[in-house]
Amino acid sequence: LAKTTQPISMDSYEGQEVNITCSHNNIATNDYITWYQQFPSQGPRFIIQGYKTKVTNEVASLFIPADRKSSTLSLPRVSLSDTAVYYCLVGPKGAGNMLTFGGGTRLMVKP
Amino acid sequence: DADVTQTPRNRITKTGKRIMLECSQTKGHDRMYWYRQDPGLGLRLIYYSFDVKDINKGEISDGYSVSRQAQAKFSLSLESAIPNQTALYFCATSDLSGYTFGSGTRLTVV
């Protein structure tokens, strides 16, 4: 399974765009990249999933370069309520147990 | 109603006691999981089940057992609780789209 590396923490201010990059150098051909968000004392929540290029939904955008060895989660105009831990997971669709939630990136949004 | 419901939300128990954490889901998913989260750390997989007749150990199954009573129900038991099992426990389900997590059970073993 592809190992992922992401920053331990990031700080931002309200209204800024935040980009969190995840490295996954040994990503396999059938692996997808999925991001989850976790607020304190709550379970992780699915944000976005992609395979290549760019995916956008109402919450975030996911940018994946052609070599797929990294990906960037982009949160436009963050607010205080975006303060959370963000996890990058790489694996086949429906991998279930095979996905490992590492330490994630702790994003702190300041006023 | 929540898609994945965990009970209780909070529990304090004494060392050596048996305790059961319950999870039920309305997603209709076959796959269910129990995770443990310690402060400041990621989630670690305790047990998982791909259907009612399939139970598998995760990376930290020692000291825990599970029961898959039905497609919608997956319970986690601590046969003899110890203080280092104090943690936040999450139940989850999954399909091809990804995971859906419950709100967690905060367990304290004193």
Side-chain angles (χ1 to χ4, degrees), chain A residues 3 22 60 81 98:
Chain A
K3 176 180 167 58
C22 179
S81 62
M98 299 168 73

Side-chain angles (χ1 to χ4, degrees), chain A residues 34 36 38-46 49 85 87 89 92-104 106, chain B residues 9 31 33 35 37 40-45 48 50 59 88 90 94-104 106:
Chain A
T34 311
Y36 286 81
Q38 185 181 24
F39 297 114
S41 298
Q42 295 186 27
R45 180 176 73 106
F46 172 90
Q49 183 181 69
V85 178
Y87 298 96
L89 283 74
K93 264 198 176 185
N97 65 296
M98 299 168 73
L99 295 179
T100 300
F101 286 80
R106 192 170 299 273
Chain B
R9 290 299 310 275
R31 300 184 174 193
Y33 313 82
Y35 285 91
Q37 187 171 40
L41 301 179
L43 286 79
R44 292 184 291 169
L45 182 63
Y48 62 98
F50 283 175
E59 59 181 310
L88 188 54
F90 288 105
S94 77
D95 65 1
L96 290 179
S97 300
Y99 286 87
T100 301
F101 282 83
S103 297
R106 185 169 298 281

Side-chain angles (χ1 to χ4, degrees), chain A:
Chain A
L1 291 172
K3 176 180 167 58
T4 61
T5 303
Q6 50 183 126
I8 294 174
S9 65
M10 295 179 69
D11 289 343
S12 183
Y13 291 93
E14 284 189 290
Q16 289 187 334
E17 177 183 73
V18 171
N19 296 308
I20 305 175
T21 297
C22 179
S23 297
H24 28 81
N25 290 320
N26 60 339
I27 188 169
T29 302
N30 61 340
D31 283 346
Y32 283 73
I33 300 150
T34 311
W35 286 80
Y36 286 81
Q37 175 192 56
Q38 185 181 24
F39 297 114
S41 298
Q42 295 186 27
R45 180 176 73 106
F46 172 90
I47 301 177
I48 197 165
Q49 183 181 69
Y51 183 80
K52 62 180 180 180
T53 63
K54 176 183 175 182
V55 179
T56 297
N57 61 22
E58 64 278 6
V59 177
S61 294
L62 179 60
F63 298 92
I64 306 168
D67 66 7
R68 304 201 326 123
K69 293 184 184 298
S70 66
S71 58
T72 299
L73 174 72
S74 181
L75 305 172
R77 295 181 299 282
V78 295
S79 64
L80 297 177
S81 62
D82 291 314
T83 294
V85 178
Y86 292 83
Y87 298 96
C88 166
L89 283 74
V90 174
K93 264 198 176 185
N97 65 296
M98 299 168 73
L99 295 179
T100 300
F101 286 80
T105 297
R106 192 170 299 273
L107 173 65
M108 174 69 72
V109 180
K110 302 175 182 178

